[in-house]
Amino acid sequence: MVGSVGNGLADLAASMNGVGKASAEPLPMELEPPADVMAAAAAAAEAEAEGKAAAAAANGKREIVMGRNVHTSCFAVKEPDADDEETGEREATMASVLALYRRSLVERTKHHLGYPYNLDFDYGALGQLQHFSINNLGDPFIESNYGVHSRQFEVGVLDWFARLWELEKEEYWGYITNCGTEGNLHGILVGREVFPDGILYASRESHYSVFKAARMYRMDCVKVDTLMSGEIDCADFQRKLVQNRDKPAIINVNIGTTVKGAVDDLDLVIKILEENGFKDRFYIHCDGALFGLMIPFVKKAPKVTFKKPIGSVSVSGHKFVGCPMPCGVQITRLEHINVLSSNVEYLASRDATIMGSRNGHAPIFLWYTLNRKGYRGFQKEVQKCLRNAHYLKDRLKGAGIGTMLNELSSTVVFERPKDEEFVRRWQLACEGNIAHVVVMPSVNIDKLDYFVNELVEKRATWYQDGISQPPCIARDVGVENCLCGLHK
């Protein structure tokens, strides 16, 4: 049966066997997936992939390679048998699933490089709190009637970030979000509520959630071109801005773009707005999902601060900080939040957040890490990430692989590996002809050497026939960073 426990276990075993580990524990016969189902699923997936590739080739566009259909490997929920309590078979089966799943997580973590998650953390001391349903529903600053909350931790974390971005306690409002996307949704919503007829401006390399917000809120959205580095093209921004002088401007400024890690020039954006008649008629949201927490600790980096006329800043908590569950921090000016908030008697609190119920465990994890590391600890980790990113760039370049690294970034961009299995093995994020590695505190030199050595070895086999050639990435990273046959 597709979606059986057996399919999922087989998938885990296969994924572990394919990465150089000893053979996984044999599966009980009753859990093994039917061969005909797996063969049919594989054939269907292959046919679908070939069809998409042919259509993409006909259109002259590179196919977007999608991940596998999880329905072929999911763990089904089944009703317990009548005698399960006596035999304990169900408990044993679930225990084996979880044990094998944990082993797969360990293996997958070893080969994780493409997404900005810090996997170096130890929250064992917080295990004692997992027995409680902690929910921070409502406003962080106004206690609700639900008493099992962690607002005291949440507000402590928010105070820390407000100090980091230079906004006084009595002048800010914020909350712990469920992810970075929610921070963008909230920041742009605040901007729209402050300027209901405002136009949203965002660079083409902004995170997809920015454009999702425009669709959700039915906002007019203007996409601005980018420079080769990935940062917003301020000349194009000015051209498009002056075409709408009669409408206020809501601007998304990237503190690290998704693919190239580029930092938009916040000061120049503000200057353009003020010099073109938009003074007091603009709202800036800073999307700092990853680099918003790194850039304050980079020497000579431009400052992200509320001493400048910005409206909100959001960061992710599960990226550089290293929280084990997705979460984020959103900070805005208190004067803005009154526009979209309302009191809810049912909660005995105020509704000003995107979500209703909010994970009360996340603020505790963030509080724990901020107290353990502090400013000095984060500064050391930022410097380590930047050093290791330069090391990776130099190793790739030395191996004849085109690569680019922005000055304020730990995101190393390089030519997309030809083999999608290699991409999946190292969990690389790809776009067109480029891929990237995001060097986080959990990524050390040994892991980077392991990756580069394997890439160089595989690459030699991909292009050994002399006919296939590495992709040209000059259009993505510039001629000076491309090492294809034409530009080498």
Side-chain angles (χ1 to χ4, degrees):
M1 178 181 69
V2 175
S4 71
V5 171
N7 288 356
L9 285 171
D11 186 61
L12 292 183
S15 69
M16 291 168 63
N17 289 341
V19 289
K21 282 195 62 89
S23 182
E25 298 173 1
L27 302 177
M29 288 295 293
E30 65 272 17
L31 296 182
E32 289 186 356
D36 58 336
V37 170
M38 295 306 290
E46 184 176 355
E48 182 181 11
E50 289 177 355
K52 288 183 178 179
N59 293 330
K61 296 180 180 179
R62 186 185 182 107
E63 176 201 0
I64 296 178
V65 181
M66 304 298 288
R68 294 175 301 174
N69 183 346
V70 182
H71 261 127
T72 63
S73 60
C74 70
F75 301 131
V77 177
K78 297 182 177 179
E79 284 299 307
D81 294 331
D83 61 348
D84 264 353
E85 290 187 11
E86 297 176 11
T87 64
E89 183 179 342
R90 174 60 45 174
E91 292 294 329
T93 300
M94 291 191 294
S96 67
V97 170
L98 294 174
L100 197 54
Y101 175 61
R102 186 186 185 283
R103 288 177 57 188
S104 77
L105 291 179
V106 171
E107 200 58 48
R108 293 286 67 212
T109 297
K110 289 180 182 177
H111 296 87
H112 172 269
L113 281 177
Y115 294 87
Y117 305 137
N118 180 6
L119 306 180
D120 183 18
F121 51 75
D122 181 6
Y123 291 107
L126 303 182
Q128 59 186 315
L129 303 177
Q130 299 307 302
H131 302 287
F132 300 96
S133 178
I134 309 176
N135 191 330
N136 288 3
L137 68 171
D139 191 299
F141 302 92
I142 302 174
E143 195 170 16
S144 77
N145 285 337
Y146 182 71
V148 188
H149 64 79
S150 64
R151 280 177 170 79
Q152 57 272 62
F153 292 93
E154 181 172 16
V155 173
V157 170
L158 296 173
D159 283 348
W160 189 91
F161 278 96
R163 288 195 302 272
L164 182 69
W165 295 321
E166 301 183 308
L167 192 56
E168 297 298 326
K169 275 188 180 183
E170 62 275 11
E171 296 178 355
Y172 91 86
W173 185 90
Y175 75 106
I176 307 296
T177 64
N178 290 301
C179 60
T181 288
E182 186 179 348
N184 286 340
L185 292 177
H186 192 275
I188 293 171
L189 176 62
V190 174
R192 195 206 63 176
E193 293 300 296
V194 173
F195 295 112
D197 61 338
I199 294 177
L200 176 62
Y201 297 85
S203 83
R204 296 184 182 277
E205 299 203 26
S206 297
H207 191 261
Y208 65 85
S209 62
V210 173
F211 306 110
K212 178 191 290 187
R215 293 194 301 272
M216 288 175 63
Y217 305 146
R218 299 186 182 277
M219 299 172 68
D220 290 334
C221 180
V222 174
K223 292 185 178 181
V224 181
D225 292 340
T226 56
L227 305 176
M228 190 65 71
S229 65
E231 70 178 273
I232 191 169
D233 182 344
C234 284
D236 187 56
F237 171 58
Q238 181 171 0
R239 282 193 295 270
K240 289 172 177 174
L241 180 70
V242 297
Q243 294 174 7
N244 301 289
R245 288 185 187 274
D246 58 325
K247 296 285 184 71
I250 301 167
I251 308 94
N252 178 77
V253 169
N254 294 304
I255 313 300
T257 55
T258 307
V259 176
K260 298 180 181 177
V263 177
D264 292 343
D265 192 333
L266 173 60
D267 293 334
L268 185 52
V269 167
I270 293 171
K271 182 181 178 183
I272 290 171
L273 287 162
E274 292 181 340
E275 289 182 352
N276 286 274
F278 284 83
K279 189 174 179 63
D280 300 324
R281 291 198 308 126
F282 66 85
Y283 180 98
I284 294 176
H285 170 68
C286 296
D287 176 11
L290 171 61
F291 293 107
L293 189 50
M294 296 179 69
I295 203 168
F297 306 106
V298 178
K299 294 179 180 178
K300 299 180 180 179
K303 291 190 72 173
V304 177
T305 170
F306 279 90
K307 292 188 181 300
K308 299 175 182 179
I310 63 176
S312 53
V313 183
S314 63
V315 297
S316 295
H318 56 287
K319 292 180 179 173
F320 187 75
V321 177
C323 191
M325 71 275 292
C327 62
V329 176
Q330 160 75 350
I331 298 287
T332 186
R333 297 180 187 273
L334 181 60
E335 64 186 273
H336 296 326
I337 207 64
N338 293 325
V339 179
L340 57 78
S341 64
S342 60
N343 296 330
V344 180
E345 184 178 8
Y346 171 76
L347 301 178
S349 186
R350 180 170 59 176
D351 175 33
T353 60
I354 296 288
M355 299 299 177
S357 291
R358 295 183 296 108
N359 187 339
H361 290 274
I364 304 173
F365 281 88
L366 294 175
W367 174 88
Y368 187 79
T369 297
L370 296 180
N371 272 289
R372 289 190 66 187
K373 296 181 179 179
Y375 291 117
R376 199 169 304 167
F378 284 122
Q379 187 171 36
K380 288 181 180 179
E381 290 193 338
V382 168
Q383 296 306 319
K384 172 190 171 184
C385 291
L386 296 180
R387 283 196 308 270
N388 289 352
H390 280 276
Y391 174 83
L392 175 59
K393 184 198 75 169
D394 292 341
R395 279 227 53 194
L396 290 170
K397 190 174 181 180
I401 300 172
T403 182
M404 182 186 80
L405 173 62
N406 277 312
E407 182 182 1
L408 302 173
S409 176
S410 66
T411 298
V412 181
V413 182
F414 56 99
E415 67 178 54
R416 181 177 186 154
K418 183 179 180 181
D419 183 9
E420 290 302 320
E421 281 302 316
F422 182 88
V423 169
R424 280 192 288 270
R425 169 168 160 79
W426 285 98
Q427 300 159 69
L428 302 177
C430 301
E431 186 175 87
N433 285 331
I434 58 176
H436 75 204
V437 163
V438 184
V439 180
M440 301 299 288
S442 54
V443 177
N444 56 32
I445 294 296
D446 289 343
K447 188 170 188 176
L448 295 176
D449 283 338
Y450 179 24
F451 167 73
V452 174
N453 292 341
E454 187 172 301
L455 175 60
V456 171
E457 179 184 347
K458 294 285 187 182
R459 194 169 177 267
T461 64
W462 298 336
Y463 304 115
Q464 64 181 352
D465 60 7
I467 300 174
S468 300
Q469 295 293 324
C472 174
I473 58 174
R475 292 182 61 183
D476 301 291
V477 299
V479 172
E480 68 278 12
N481 295 312
C482 180
L483 294 178
C484 72
L486 179 63
H487 298 110
K488 195 169 183 178

